[in-house]
Every structure is written in C-alpha cells, then in structure tokens.
C-alpha cells in the first residue's frame, strides 16, 4: 500500500510542478538556515572529552586579600604557584595536572628549515592520562621527571611530520629556546574543541605543538602567555619572569572517579583554605568551587550569545517557511477534492486518504531536505570564511546530516497534517455532483 501511495504522490507532484517547486523551496530554505546555525551551535557546545568529561573537575580557591570581598563573589579562575604546587603534591584526586600555556622557539637541526615559534603547554605528568591524549609513538614523562625538571618533551604529530617526516622521533633531540630536549612521545591527532583546559588562550585556540614539564619551564624561564590576576603589591611578571606569590596564573584540573570522591575533594579544598588562613596566607573565609568540565564551560559562556540568538532566529525563519508550506499544501490538496471524492465514493476510508496525502507531504519533505542539506553546506562554507576563532570548525558531520532529513521530514509532515485533514473532510456526494 505504501508503494501505491508513493506512486500517487509522485504523479501528483509532477502534475503541479510550480506548486511543488514552491513547497520544496520553502522547506529547503527553512531547513538550510536552521541546520547551518544548529551545526555551528552543535560544534561549539559539544563535549570535548566524550566519555571522560563527567570525571574531570576544575577546583577553585580564594587566596585574595580582603579588598573587594563579597559573599557571592566567585573565587579566581586560576591558582597561584604556591597553591598549585600544594594541591598537586597533596595528590588527593585520582589524577591531577597543573599547567600554563606559552610560546617557544624551535631550532631545527635541518639546515633547510629556519627557526620558528610554536605554541607550548607546560604541564605535569598526569595531563596525558587524565585527558586521554592518544600517543602515536612513545609515552608521557613521569612524575619523577617533573620533580627532576627533566629536559624531556612530547610533540604533536604535525610537528613530528614537519621536522622528521612523520618517522618515529622518540629518543631524538629537539632544541627549544636554546636547550636540548629529548623527545619521549609523539601525540596522534588531538585537538579538543573547545580548548577547555585553558580558556585564557582562546576558547577555540589551535592545539599546542610541544608539551614540556611545568617545573622545567620555571627552571628555564621559558616564555608564558595567558592572563595573570594579582592583588596587593603583587606584580604579574614579564614573559620570562614569574608572577609574584600574590598572582593567580595557573590552571589546575583533577580527575575524580566517583561522587563520593568529588565531595571528599570539595571538603579537602575547604580544609586547605582554612589551613592557609590559619597560617596567615589566606585572609578570606573558605570560598571554593569544584565544577565539572561541562559546568566549567557553561560557567565561562564558551558558546557565544550571538550563535544562540542566530539559531533561534533561524528556527523562527523555518516556522515562517512552514506556515507558507501549510498554505501551499492546503491549496494543492483542495484542488484535488474531486479525485479524493471519487476515492471516498469507491470505498476508501478517510484514514487511507490521510495516509496518502501525508506520504505526498513526506516526499516533499525529503526533497526539501536534500535542498536544505545543499544550502546548509553553502551556509557553513560562508561561516568558515569568517575571521572568528571557531569558523574552521563549521562542518556538517554525519549526525547533523541525519538531523537535516529527520527535521525536514518531521516538519513537513507536521505542516501537512492540517491540509490533509481538511481535504479528507470533503463530502463525496457533493464532489460527484459538482463534477
């Protein structure tokens, strides 16, 4: 029966080509606009660590002096070096990593390559296991290497291909800022979006090319980037001079594998703050936060407000297109009142007619979905031409392509319900008399 309805729908659509084209165009425009903006929103609000983000947390404590204190004020979003090292060495979480971003010069051994700068991540050993970074060759450095300020480095696959042609470079030497480092690992492609572990360098910043032990960076006075927030007489330092003890400038992440561990770590942060207050370092009462990764992204408003607004506006445009489609379908179906009346007189039920007309609406929706997908690809290409830091991420993935057709089919069937129901209410005797 479905094949029969499909055949009738195809014949009907070919019979009124202009009306059919208008309906398909309306659906395609609405779907194209809504899928373009929905894809951008989908990309920007995605989970950067699927399967892991529920166990990753960002601790905050408040070491500031009493100036500007307010009970509802959020603690700083970064840590001082003293607090960062204290929390790291306390090792109360399943894993923990302290980090900072920077930029370092690379001096290639190959004479054909001039020295160049790359983005760097200064961190501690657990960074790789906690975030599940994939290794192509080798492995991470150890916690003992952290303490020893080892001259070891993990590099990205892109840098390995640029310097060594993609060969296994583990064990080779890389000169960074005039110092020889031993390569211990090469990462495979890994660029989480958003750049969740350090939003100070941009929510959708490009991934780092080299990863060095944090204490090695401090020992060598390597260049840093990102923000510093200081209070009192503290100075933020320069590129290579470390900030004062009254400055927050480090990011700290922990892995907590169960709700009980999350609560225990929250209490640990409170006790740590009380202890530091008793020692005279902290002046404020304990003010701590422990947000999960996705809560941290939401708190920082990673998804731009204009992207959300554009998505709502696009769906409003889709609604306008559907209203127009309802009118076009109503005109089309009512023109066929005579044909439907004959079918009713021959014994077809209203339910059968309704099914026939909805199949026809569904065909319009699928063809409109194809047009909408093409328009969405064009719209995403235009988004990628923009200068925003997330523009390059705007691509239609398989899940959004499936969403395109589901949305097109569902919206068109919804739009076709009223016209189909009205057409099915036609009295057969009246139509037979008039013809």
């Amino acid at each position: 029966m479905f094949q029969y309805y499909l055949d009738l729908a195809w014949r009907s659509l070919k019979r009124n080509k202009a009306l059919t084209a208008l309906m398909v165009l309306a659906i395609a425009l609405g779907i194209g606009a809504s899928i373009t903006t929905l894809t951008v929103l989908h990309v920007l609000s995605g989970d950067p660590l699927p399967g892991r983000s529920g166990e990753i947390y960002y601790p905050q404590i408040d070491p500031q002096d009493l100036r500007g204190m307010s009970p509802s004020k959020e603690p700083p979003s970064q840590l001082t070096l003293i607090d960062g090292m204290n929390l790291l060495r306390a090792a109360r979480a399943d894993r923990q990593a302290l980090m900072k971003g920077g930029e370092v010069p690379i001096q290639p051994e190959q004479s054909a390559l001039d020295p160049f700068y790359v983005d760097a991540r200064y961190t501690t050993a657990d960074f790789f296991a906690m975030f599940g970074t994939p290794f192509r060759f080798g492995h991470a450095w150890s916690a003992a290497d952290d303490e020893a300020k080892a001259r070891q480095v993990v590099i990205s696959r892109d840098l390995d291909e640029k310097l060594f042609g993609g060969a296994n470079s583990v064990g080779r030497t890389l000169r960074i800022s005039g110092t020889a480092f031993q390569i211990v690992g090469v990462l495979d492609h890994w660029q989480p979006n958003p750049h969740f572990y350090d939003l100070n360098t941009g929510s959708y910043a490009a991934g780092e090319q080299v990863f060095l032990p944090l204490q090695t960076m401090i020992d060598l006075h390597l260049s840093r980037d990102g923000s510093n927030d200081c209070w009192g007489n503290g100075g933020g330092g320069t590129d290579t001079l470390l900030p004062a003890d009254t400055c927050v400038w480090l990011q700290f992440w922990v892995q907590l594998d169960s709700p009980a561990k999350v609560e225990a770590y929250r209490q640990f942060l409170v006790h740590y703050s009380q202890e530091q207050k008793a020692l005279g370092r902290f002046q404020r009462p304990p003010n701590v936060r422990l947000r999960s990764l996705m809560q941290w992204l939401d708190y920082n408003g990673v998804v731009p407000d204009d992207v959300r607004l554009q998505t709502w506006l696009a769906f409003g445009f889709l609604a306008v297109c559907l209203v127009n489609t309802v009118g076009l379908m109503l005109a089309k179906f009512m023109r066929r009142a005579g044909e439907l009346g004959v079918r009713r007189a021959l014994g077809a039920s209203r339910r059968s007619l309704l099914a026939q007309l909805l199949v026809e609406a569904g065909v319009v929706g699928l063809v409109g979905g194809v047009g909408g997908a093409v328009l969405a690809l064009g719209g995403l290409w235009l988004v990628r031409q923009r200068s925003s830091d997330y523009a390059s991420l705007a691509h239609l993935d398989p899940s959004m392509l499936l969403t395109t057709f589901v949305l097109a089919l569902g919206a068109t069937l919804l739009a076709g319900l009223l016209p189909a129901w009205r057409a099915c209410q036609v009295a057969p005797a009246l139509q037979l008399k008039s013809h």
Side-chain angles (χ1 to χ4, degrees), residues 13-352:
L13 293 175
K14 286 199 297 184
R15 197 180 307 139
N16 297 294
K17 292 179 181 174
L19 209 51
T20 301
L22 284 174
M23 288 190 293
V24 169
L25 182 62
I27 295 295
L29 287 173
I31 293 295
S34 55
I35 290 298
T36 298
T37 56
L38 189 62
T39 299
V40 175
L41 182 64
H42 165 71
V43 169
L44 300 189
S45 59
D47 185 344
L49 288 183
R52 286 180 175 270
S53 58
E55 298 175 348
I56 306 298
Y57 289 81
Y58 192 81
Q60 291 172 264
I61 56 177
D62 195 346
Q64 300 173 100
D65 58 26
L66 295 175
R67 280 177 288 185
M69 189 181 77
S70 165
S72 60
K73 193 172 181 179
E74 284 280 330
S77 59
Q78 301 183 97
L79 296 180
T80 64
L81 179 60
I82 294 175
D83 293 319
M85 295 306 293
N86 285 344
L87 295 180
L88 181 74
R89 287 169 175 156
R92 295 298 187 94
D94 294 298
R95 291 191 177 102
Q96 43 266 305
L98 188 63
M99 65 194 74
K100 184 67 178 175
E103 189 179 49
V104 292
I106 303 291
Q107 289 111 21
E109 293 178 348
Q110 302 89 328
S111 57
L113 288 176
D114 293 329
F116 57 92
Y117 278 85
V118 297
D119 288 334
R121 174 68 28 190
Y122 313 122
T123 185
T124 51
D126 277 357
F127 176 94
F128 304 96
M130 184 164 66
F131 296 152
T133 57
F135 275 86
R136 189 168 184 228
F137 303 118
H139 50 75
W141 63 80
S142 66
D145 295 326
D146 278 329
E147 294 297 329
K149 304 169 186 170
R151 273 44 172 174
Q152 296 186 343
V153 61
V154 171
I155 66 174
S156 71
R157 179 170 180 160
D158 288 346
L159 186 59
D160 182 61
E161 289 176 350
K162 182 172 183 176
L163 296 177
F164 306 106
N168 185 352
S169 57
V170 172
R172 299 187 67 165
T173 299
L174 181 64
R175 292 195 68 80
I176 300 174
S177 195
T179 302
F181 282 76
Q182 182 191 25
I183 300 173
V184 295
V186 178
L187 293 184
D188 210 337
H189 293 303
W190 186 71
Q191 187 175 339
N193 281 302
H195 188 251
F196 68 94
Y197 51 82
D198 186 359
L199 299 175
N200 299 284
T201 54
S203 301
Y204 300 93
E208 294 86 355
Q209 300 286 296
V210 297
F211 297 81
L212 310 170
L214 178 67
Q215 295 196 61
T216 303
M217 177 276 283
I218 295 172
D219 189 46
L220 294 177
H221 302 283
L222 297 178
S223 174
R224 296 169 288 100
D225 58 16
S227 66
N228 304 316
D229 294 312
C230 303
W231 61 94
N233 297 321
T238 61
D239 258 4
T240 56
L241 185 63
L242 292 182
D245 291 342
T246 52
C247 294
V248 290
W249 56 284
L250 290 159
Q251 301 89 46
F252 185 59
W253 289 89
V254 298
Q255 180 178 342
L256 301 164
D257 295 340
S258 69
K261 289 181 178 178
V262 174
E263 186 53 34
Y265 200 85
R266 198 187 311 276
Q267 291 305 313
F268 163 66
L269 293 176
V270 172
H271 294 152
Y272 175 81
S273 299
Q274 290 171 335
E275 179 186 81
Q276 295 300 310
K277 191 170 187 291
L279 292 171
R281 279 197 62 236
F282 288 11
Q283 297 181 29
R284 301 185 179 191
N287 181 20
V288 306
R289 302 288 188 278
L290 187 60
R291 293 183 170 91
S292 68
L293 191 160
M294 296 306 290
Q295 288 172 334
W296 179 246
L297 296 180
D298 186 53
Y299 166 70
N300 282 279
V302 168
V303 180
D305 289 340
D306 61 333
V307 172
R308 296 185 190 278
L309 178 62
Q310 288 165 10
T311 304
W312 281 110
L313 291 175
F315 272 87
F317 178 65
L318 174 61
V320 172
C321 292
L322 289 178
V323 169
N324 283 290
T325 304
V326 169
L328 293 170
M329 279 193 184
L330 190 58
K332 180 175 175 57
F333 290 166
M334 294 310 291
R335 279 188 186 179
R336 296 167 56 197
E339 172 197 330
L340 297 174
V342 170
R343 285 206 64 207
R344 285 277 289 134
L346 293 175
S349 66
R350 285 178 175 165
R351 179 176 296 182
S352 299

Side-chain angles (χ1 to χ4, degrees), residues 356-414:
Q356 174 191 335
L357 296 176
L358 287 181
V359 168
E360 187 171 331
V363 172
V364 171
L366 286 176
V367 178
V370 172
V374 172
L375 290 175
L377 287 172
L380 292 171
W381 179 83
L382 290 175
V383 171
R384 291 197 293 276
Q385 308 312 307
R386 296 174 59 183
S387 58
S388 56
D389 58 353
Y390 61 79
S392 62
L393 304 174
H395 290 277
L396 196 66
D397 61 21
S399 66
M400 290 308 300
L401 186 61
L402 178 63
T403 302
T404 301
F405 288 101
V406 170
L407 183 62
L409 184 60
T412 312
L413 288 176
L414 189 64

